[in-house]
Amino acid sequence: MMKHFKTALAAATALTASAGIASADAASLSVFDWSGYEDQGFYGDYVAKYGGAPSYTYFGSVEEAFTKLQSGFAADLAHPCTDGLRKWVAAGLLKPIDTSKISNWDSLLPQIKDVDGVTIDGQTYMVPFEWGNTGLIYRTDQIDESAVSLQLMADPAYQGKIAIPDAASSAYAMAALATGASSYTDMSDEEFQKASDFLRQIHPNVRFYWSDAGQLDQAIASGEVLMGWGWNQSELNLIWNETPARMMRDVDKGIATWVCGYVHLNASTQSDEQVYDMLNALSSEPSGKYIIENWGYAHANAEAFKSADQSLIETYGFADVDKFFEGSLFFDAVNPELEGRMLKEFERIKAGF
């Protein structure tokens, strides 16, 4: 199946119409982001006004982004997820969002705006952008649907045949689901030990710990890896490339839900007008339609669910937002002390200890 390019084409048309605006002005806005989010289908209105795209610098994990920002790296906007927001606010990295300047604010899903971390102590710090699943993606021609589970990842038969993210938070979320922890964000000592034991148990089966989702996609497509803990986009990429693979969405077996968005950094040097033009473009209905149809993620703008391909919305389970959240482990902010333990222990596990 070919990707849809309608929004990108519209952006290109708008670019031609705005020849009087120098693209250098567009690039003066700096965005600290995940690789791939420079896709102009996400911010066509910004391209139309400024004649080009912002400049991008990339990070591979939220932990890496936080460390780099704390060390003095400067940008205007960044793209974390809600589970890290309290930590970013406590570190003084963010400016509050003036929601009166977000033209699409009232169109954003209330369920998403209410997620922990979007608003902290009465101040809004994030414009929610996309949300979706982290789940177990597997080769359907190699593993029977009835047999697939998180626990299967520990089966010695799959030595060297699985991949998980090189991120402590994601790894422990998966382990919490696999071991039945009552809470991912505030585990008891016993629950933390069980989760750590599970990660040690699967370590011999891990082909690699991925930091780039494309690495996971390629490995599953080639058969190098048969199971991987990954995002919606990976499932969609594999389907487009006619790889027999799917994400396990059985909430009784374990799946996680996340919300990410854009924040205004304290280090920002660009005008509020340009920053909010970008935030408004990202939160618009065309942006939402594009990400649903081309990336397999849901968007924060409710209007996008009306204009996007309805068969895709049904396939991904986005038709009923409340139901989508009910049975899933949700990525909320982790207790800071527990997060420190996760980071330290995960490095030990990856090193074989």
Side-chain angles (χ1 to χ4, degrees), residues 131 133 249 305 311-325:
W131 52 281
N133 292 128
R249 285 188 168 81
F305 294 86
S311 64
L312 291 177
I313 289 173
E314 289 289 341
T315 298
Y316 302 143
F318 301 150
D320 187 333
V321 177
D322 290 324
K323 185 177 180 181
F324 187 90
F325 283 107

Coordinates of all heavy atoms in Angstrom, one line a residue, residues 131 133 249 305 311-325:
W131 N -0.9 10.3 20.1 CA -1.0 9.3 21.1 C -1.2 7.9 20.5 O -1.6 7.8 19.3 CB -2.2 9.6 22.1 CG -3.5 9.8 21.5 CD1 -3.9 11.0 20.9 CD2 -4.6 8.9 21.5 NE1 -5.3 10.9 20.5 CE2 -5.7 9.6 20.8 CE3 -4.8 7.6 21.9 CZ2 -6.9 9.0 20.6 CZ3 -6.1 7.1 21.7 CH2 -7.1 7.8 21.0
N133 N -0.1 3.3 21.0 CA 0.2 2.2 21.8 C 1.7 1.9 21.7 O 2.4 2.2 20.7 CB -0.5 0.9 21.3 CG -2.0 1.0 21.5 OD1 -2.8 0.8 20.6 ND2 -2.4 1.2 22.7
R249 N -3.0 -6.6 20.6 CA -3.8 -5.5 21.2 C -4.8 -6.1 22.3 O -5.7 -5.4 22.7 CB -4.7 -4.8 20.2 CG -3.8 -3.8 19.3 CD -4.6 -2.9 18.5 NE -3.9 -1.8 17.9 CZ -3.1 -1.9 16.8 NH1 -3.0 -3.1 16.2 NH2 -2.4 -0.9 16.4
F305 N -10.6 12.8 13.4 CA -11.2 11.5 13.4 C -12.4 11.4 12.5 O -12.9 10.4 12.1 CB -11.6 11.0 14.8 CG -10.4 10.8 15.7 CD1 -9.8 11.9 16.4 CD2 -9.8 9.6 15.8 CE1 -8.7 11.7 17.2 CE2 -8.7 9.4 16.6 CZ -8.1 10.5 17.3
S311 N -11.8 3.3 8.0 CA -11.4 1.9 8.2 C -10.1 1.8 9.0 O -10.0 0.9 9.8 CB -11.2 1.3 6.8 OG -10.2 1.9 6.1
L312 N -9.2 2.8 8.8 CA -8.0 2.8 9.6 C -8.3 3.1 11.1 O -7.7 2.5 11.9 CB -7.0 3.8 9.0 CG -6.4 3.5 7.6 CD1 -5.5 4.6 7.2 CD2 -5.6 2.2 7.7
I313 N -9.2 4.0 11.3 CA -9.5 4.4 12.7 C -10.1 3.1 13.4 O -9.7 2.9 14.6 CB -10.5 5.5 12.7 CG1 -9.8 6.8 12.3 CG2 -11.1 5.7 14.1 CD1 -10.7 8.0 12.1
E314 N -10.9 2.4 12.7 CA -11.5 1.2 13.3 C -10.3 0.1 13.6 O -10.3 -0.5 14.6 CB -12.5 0.6 12.4 CG -13.8 1.4 12.4 CD -14.6 1.3 13.6 OE1 -14.4 0.3 14.4 OE2 -15.5 2.2 13.9
T315 N -9.5 0.0 12.6 CA -8.4 -1.0 12.7 C -7.5 -0.8 13.9 O -7.1 -1.7 14.6 CB -7.5 -1.0 11.4 OG1 -8.4 -1.4 10.3 CG2 -6.4 -2.0 11.5
Y316 N -7.2 0.5 14.1 CA -6.3 0.9 15.2 C -7.0 1.0 16.6 O -6.3 1.1 17.6 CB -5.6 2.2 14.9 CG -4.8 2.2 13.6 CD1 -4.8 3.3 12.8 CD2 -4.1 1.0 13.2 CE1 -4.0 3.3 11.6 CE2 -3.4 1.0 12.0 CZ -3.4 2.2 11.2 OH -2.7 2.1 10.0
G317 N -8.3 0.9 16.6 CA -9.0 0.9 17.8 C -9.3 2.3 18.4 O -9.5 2.5 19.6
F318 N -9.2 3.3 17.5 CA -9.3 4.7 17.9 C -10.7 5.2 17.9 O -11.0 6.4 18.3 CB -8.5 5.6 17.0 CG -7.0 5.3 17.0 CD1 -6.2 5.6 15.9 CD2 -6.4 4.8 18.1 CE1 -4.9 5.3 15.8 CE2 -5.0 4.5 18.1 CZ -4.3 4.8 16.9
A319 N -11.7 4.4 17.4 CA -13.0 4.9 17.3 C -13.7 5.2 18.6 O -14.5 6.1 18.7 CB -13.9 3.8 16.6
D320 N -13.3 4.5 19.7 CA -13.9 4.8 21.0 C -12.7 5.1 21.9 O -12.0 4.2 22.4 CB -14.6 3.5 21.5 CG -15.4 3.8 22.8 OD1 -14.9 4.6 23.6 OD2 -16.3 3.0 23.1
V321 N -12.5 6.4 22.1 CA -11.3 6.9 22.9 C -11.3 6.3 24.3 O -10.3 5.9 24.8 CB -11.3 8.4 22.9 CG1 -10.1 8.9 23.7 CG2 -11.1 8.9 21.4
D322 N -12.5 6.4 24.9 CA -12.6 5.9 26.3 C -12.2 4.5 26.4 O -11.4 4.1 27.3 CB -14.0 6.2 26.9 CG -14.3 7.6 27.1 OD1 -13.3 8.4 27.5 OD2 -15.4 8.0 26.9
K323 N -12.7 3.6 25.5 CA -12.4 2.2 25.6 C -11.0 2.0 25.3 O -10.4 1.0 25.9 CB -13.3 1.5 24.5 CG -13.2 0.0 24.6 CD -14.1 -0.7 23.6 CE -14.0 -2.2 23.6 NZ -14.8 -2.8 22.6
F324 N -10.4 2.8 24.4 CA -9.0 2.6 24.1 C -8.1 2.7 25.4 O -7.1 2.0 25.5 CB -8.6 3.7 23.1 CG -7.2 3.6 22.5 CD1 -7.0 2.9 21.4 CD2 -6.1 4.2 23.1 CE1 -5.7 2.8 20.8 CE2 -4.8 4.1 22.6 CZ -4.6 3.4 21.4
F325 N -8.5 3.6 26.3 CA -7.7 3.9 27.5 C -8.0 2.9 28.6 O -7.1 2.7 29.5 CB -7.9 5.3 28.0 CG -7.2 6.3 27.2 CD1 -7.9 7.2 26.3 CD2 -5.8 6.5 27.3 CE1 -7.2 8.2 25.6 CE2 -5.1 7.5 26.5 CZ -5.8 8.3 25.7

